[in-house]
Amino acid sequence: MINAKAGIEMFDKDKIKKGVELILEGIGEDKNREGLKDTPDRIARMYEEIFAGLNEDPAKHLKMFREGQSDEIVIVRDIPMYSMCEHHFLPFVGKAHIAYIPNDDGLVIGLSKLARIVNSYARRPQLQERLTAQIADFIQDSMNPKGVAVVVEAEHLCMTMRGIRAAGSKTQTSALRGSMRKDARTRAEVMTLLGLK
C-alpha cells in the first residue's frame, strides 16, 4: 500500500514481522515458542488495521445536506475512539464530543460521518492534542460552520501501565473554532451541554 501524501510504501508486513521478532529476542523470549510463533504476523495484521488512517482521506466521509437556516447547536457526544500514542506506541482510549453551529446556508453533516472522521484521524500514530485540533480544523475547513468545538477525553496506557502508573487518570483536550472560541456565551453553553462546565 502506498501513502500518497508521503509517497512511501506503507504496511510492509515483512518489516513489521522482523521488527517484532527482534523485540521478542530483545526481551529474552523465544520467537519460535508455541504461543509466540504467530505473534509477528498477528501484530503486522493488527498494525495494518489500527493505522489505516494513514492512508485514508477523511474527506471521503463527508456527506452534507442543506437544511435551511439554523442557529442551533448540533452536538454528537461520546463517540468512542482509540488511537496509538506516538511516543510509546501504546493505546489511548476514550471518547470524542463534537459540537458545531451550521453556517447561514444551513449546511449540516450526516451524524454518523462525524464518528468516521474521528476514526480516520485516530487510526494513526497520534498525540491527543493534535488529534483534537485535526478534527476541529477539518470540520471548520470542510463545512465552514459558524463555530466548532471538539473535546476528547482519553485514558493513556503509557501513563497507566508504565511510568507513573496513574490508573484511571484521564486527559481532556479541546479545540474551539469560530464563534465557539470568540463568543464567551456560546462557548459556555456548549461546554455546559457537553457536561464539561
Side-chain angles (χ1 to χ4, degrees):
M1 208 180 286
I2 302 289
N3 180 330
K5 284 184 182 176
I8 58 173
E9 182 79 19
M10 296 298 302
F11 300 115
D12 183 330
K13 290 183 184 174
D14 288 333
K15 281 186 180 176
I16 295 170
K17 287 189 231 180
K18 286 176 189 169
V20 174
E21 288 174 359
L22 287 172
I23 290 170
L24 291 172
E25 290 172 5
I27 64 172
E29 266 289 1
D30 175 6
K31 67 180 182 183
N32 297 310
R33 180 166 64 77
E34 184 62 33
L36 292 175
K37 67 181 179 182
D38 293 327
T39 296
D41 184 60
R42 282 192 293 267
I43 290 176
R45 285 183 280 121
M46 176 190 69
Y47 277 5
E48 186 171 30
E49 180 182 344
I50 65 177
F51 294 129
L54 286 166
N55 293 306
E56 183 176 277
D57 182 356
K60 81 176 194 173
H61 300 299
L62 285 176
K63 185 164 186 178
M64 295 184 275
F65 311 91
R66 294 203 187 282
E67 292 297 322
Q69 290 187 341
S70 173
D71 284 339
E72 305 303 321
I73 298 170
V74 177
I75 295 177
V76 178
R77 287 184 45 84
D78 301 326
I79 299 168
M81 58 119 274
Y82 65 87
S83 192
M84 288 283 267
C85 166
E86 67 183 36
H87 293 156
H88 296 99
F89 256 46
L90 286 171
F92 61 96
V93 179
K95 296 176 181 178
H97 315 292
I98 299 173
Y100 72 92
I101 301 172
N103 62 23
D104 288 333
D105 293 337
L107 195 62
V108 297
I109 188 169
L111 299 178
S112 68
K113 304 308 180 193
L114 292 173
R116 292 185 187 279
I117 291 164
V118 168
N119 286 327
S120 185
Y121 282 111
R123 293 188 313 169
R124 33 184 103 178
Q126 272 291 13
L127 297 175
Q128 183 174 330
E129 298 88 341
R130 181 192 312 125
L131 171 65
T132 308
Q134 285 175 329
I135 296 165
D137 289 340
F138 179 79
I139 294 168
Q140 184 67 43
D141 294 344
S142 301
M143 297 178 61
N144 192 32
K146 292 178 182 173
V148 177
V150 176
V151 177
V152 175
E153 301 173 285
E155 183 171 350
H156 291 247
L157 268 67
C158 58
M159 277 184 61
T160 62
M161 66 183 286
R162 58 155 301 279
I164 193 164
R165 294 191 180 104
S169 66
K170 293 208 169 136
T171 300
Q172 187 176 80
T173 51
S174 66
L176 307 171
R177 305 292 183 261
S179 63
M180 302 284 191
R181 178 188 289 255
K182 296 174 187 167
D183 186 322
R185 286 186 305 164
T186 302
R187 182 171 56 251
E189 180 182 358
V190 167
M191 292 304 174
T192 299
L193 289 169
L194 290 175
L196 302 171
K197 186 172 181 184

